[in-house]
């Protein structure tokens, strides 16, 4: 065969390539027309927002398509790109192709992407916008969900996994994001539910909209399913990029380190700490004022900011080192622990421990929230998750008692007894089994009763006994003497003490305690 004949024989392939390129262009134009009309971006536009400019490399562009039959590809886009210069894998569902539904081809592409991400040990981001399982494919579509579930579980704790809900996510599909580390939703067009409004009405008679049933606001404020509520798609994707900047690529690496030089701003912030805590120990204050004063640039990236607000958790840096921050919020229920805040706290500590982020705990809590509603909601089981998280964590852990640490909450909130490496307290801190008033009512019950019968001023006696109890018992002295606290520090010393602690614990190693398969965590 001559060179000319060989070249001519290759022409149909070249025409096919041109046809594929034309199909791809038409597909994106079609996607823009459909998505923009709904106030949504196309899958490829979302990828442009996620990755550093011109770094996305697609995998399996035409897999599941039929070029000769004018079908450009399947309803999911997969590939890798860079986020702040670090590699990340992604699968983005394309609602403009068969409603983004998942069939055999889509499942194969997603599983292949996840396998590749696990082999090269990089984070996985899922962009969800789908009508669910493709009904036409029946059990074949459901099988793909099962495969994705299993791979998501295999990746859990090994590489960071983030789910962006940018459209509908219903039925069994909701469990893919539920298994990941963080779920990000938007105020508009973002829905998650196991059974939709029509099924709910048919089964219960209740009429409810998609947004009321499983919209972004509901899952960020009431259910706790989601971890961030974006103003729009760009904001949601930017939050995902920001979180990835604090996390390592996988569990075998340490988080990235950033350049930072302390200066005048940090010194001024330290001075403000001296005035944060009110003299009246019952008066609330915003713990965010404390956090902003001790972390780099005053920046805290909160997780679940709108849910269980008596606890604040989030990512920050100390001298360029990413850390996880956990703090009671006295502005909400005096910073007490309840079923929701316990789960929020425990999950965040587990996330930090999985990906080697030190945990800094700022304590100011009167204890677990009392009441029959809490007991019936399972405060024993759900509160125990906090214990499990701290007791099993092996990352550097540093705790500072800001004001109150009473009873069981003192123990579970990163005490030295439960596994913290270094523990400090501010001079105003109160550490005891009970607060003064509660302790006096129990210890001096008979004295108070006798005073009442004798016609004496019971409130005056109670206050006097409470002051004596505070002086003798409700302070950090006993904890210092027992070695449960390493030092009493002035508020202005907080940041430098934490920085020194991070330096000291930088090379802390994990230790395998025994040969068990895994613990049986309270769930």
């Amino acid at each position: 065969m001559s060179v000319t004949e060989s070249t001519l024989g290759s022409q149909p392939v070249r025409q096919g390539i041109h046809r594929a390129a034309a199909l791809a262009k038409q597909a994106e134009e079609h996607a823009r027309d459909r998505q923009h009309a709904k106030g949504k971006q196309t899958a490829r536009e979302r990828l442009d927002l996620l990755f550093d400019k011109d770094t996305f490399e697609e995998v399996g562009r035409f897999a599941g398509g039929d070029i000769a039959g004018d079908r450009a590809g399947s309803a999911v886009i997969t590939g890798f790109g860079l986020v702040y210069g670090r590699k990340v894998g992604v699968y983005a569902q394309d609602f403009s192709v068969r409603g983004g539904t998942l069939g055999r081809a889509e499942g194969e592409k997603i599983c292949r992407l996840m396998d590749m991400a696990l082999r090269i040990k990089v984070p996985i981001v899922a962009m969800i916008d789908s009508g669910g399982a493709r009904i036409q494919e029946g059990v074949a579509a459901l099988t793909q969900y099962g495969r994705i579930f299993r791979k998501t579980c295999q990746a859990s704790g090994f590489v960071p996994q983030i789910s962006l809900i940018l459209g509908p996510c219903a039925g069994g599909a909701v469990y893919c994001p539920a298994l990941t580390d963080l779920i990000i939703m938007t105020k508009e067009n973002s829905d998650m539910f196991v059974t939709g409004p029509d099924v709910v009405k048919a089964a219960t008679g209740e009429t409810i909209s998609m947004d009321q049933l499983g919209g972004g606001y509901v899952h960020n404020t009431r259910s706790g399913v989601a971890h961030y509520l974006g103003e729009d798609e760009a904001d949601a994707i930017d939050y995902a990029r920001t979180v990835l900047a604090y996390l390592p690529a996988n569990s075998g690496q340490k988080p990235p380190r950033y350049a930072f030089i302390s200066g005048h701003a940090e010194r001024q912030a330290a001075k403000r700490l001296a005035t944060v805590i009110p003299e009246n120990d019952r008066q609330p204050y915003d713990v965010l004022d404390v956090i902003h004063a001790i972390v780099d640039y005053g920046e805290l990236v909160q997780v679940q900011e709108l849910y269980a607000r008596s606890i604040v958790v989030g990512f920050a840096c100390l001298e360029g080192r990413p850390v996880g921050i956990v703090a009671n919020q006295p502005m909400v229920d005096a910073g007490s622990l309840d079923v929701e805040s316990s789960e929020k706290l425990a999950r965040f500590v587990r996330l930090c421990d999985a990906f080697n982020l030190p945990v800094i705990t700022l304590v100011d809590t009167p204890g677990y929230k009392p009441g029959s509603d809490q007991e019936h909601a399972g405060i024993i089981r759900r509160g125990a998750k906090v214990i499990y998280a701290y007791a099993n964590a092996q990352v550097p852990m540093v705790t500072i008692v800001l004001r109150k640490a009473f009873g069981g909450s003192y123990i579970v909130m990163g005490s030295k007894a439960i596994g913290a490496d270094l523990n400090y307290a501010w001079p105003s801190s109160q550490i005891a089994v009970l607060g003064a008033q509660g302790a006096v009512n129990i210890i001096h019950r008979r004295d108070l009763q006798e005073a009442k019968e004798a016609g004496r001023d019971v409130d005056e006696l109670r206050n006097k006994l409470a002051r004596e109890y505070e002086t003798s018992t409700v302070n950090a002295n006993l904890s210092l003497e027992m070695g449960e606290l390493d030092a009493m520090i002035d508020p202005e010393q907080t940041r430098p003490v934490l920085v020194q602690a991070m330096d000291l614990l930088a090379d802390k190693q994990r230790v395998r305690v025994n040969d068990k398969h895994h613990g049986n965590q309270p769930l």
Side-chain angles (χ1 to χ4, degrees), residues 272-458:
R272 291 198 299 272
L273 287 174
T275 61
V276 169
I277 303 289
E279 291 187 13
N280 181 352
D281 63 8
R282 291 178 176 270
Q283 183 177 337
Y285 64 93
D286 192 346
V287 77
L288 290 174
D289 292 337
V290 177
I291 297 170
H292 293 322
I294 63 177
V295 300
D296 294 357
Y297 308 112
E299 292 181 358
L300 173 71
V301 179
Q302 285 201 58
V303 175
Q304 290 186 299
E305 180 179 359
L306 303 178
Y307 179 72
R309 299 178 70 178
S310 63
I311 277 286
V312 172
V313 300
F315 303 106
C317 282
L318 275 175
E319 296 286 329
R321 280 197 185 98
V323 297
I325 302 286
V326 175
N328 301 107
Q329 176 55 286
M331 294 287 287
V332 180
D333 292 335
S336 58
L337 294 174
D338 58 17
V339 290
E340 289 87 7
S341 61
S342 294
E343 290 183 335
K344 172 181 172 179
L345 185 166
R347 184 82 196 286
F348 183 73
V349 171
R350 295 285 281 175
L351 173 63
C352 291
D353 186 51
F355 296 111
N356 306 316
L357 265 72
V359 175
I360 293 172
T361 306
L362 306 175
V363 183
D364 187 352
T365 176
Y368 283 96
K369 186 177 180 180
S372 60
D373 61 330
Q374 289 293 303
E375 297 295 344
H376 297 166
I379 188 62
I380 296 172
R381 168 177 54 84
R382 296 164 76 179
K385 297 178 184 181
V386 180
I387 300 172
Y388 196 93
Y390 274 109
N392 283 280
Q394 294 202 21
V395 291
M397 292 193 290
V398 181
T399 300
I400 298 179
V401 179
L402 305 181
R403 186 167 65 175
K404 291 189 183 77
F406 292 156
S409 60
Y410 159 69
I411 295 297
V412 305
M413 288 289 297
S415 68
K416 186 165 287 191
I418 209 168
D421 299 290
L422 294 168
N423 292 63
Y424 304 97
W426 284 5
S428 58
S429 60
Q430 302 175 0
I431 302 173
V433 176
L434 277 176
Q437 292 288 339
V440 164
N441 287 337
I442 295 174
I443 298 171
H444 297 284
R445 181 175 53 196
R446 181 173 297 178
D447 296 333
L448 294 172
Q449 181 63 32
E450 290 176 354
K452 181 179 180 181
E453 292 171 355
R456 294 165 56 195
D457 189 331
V458 176

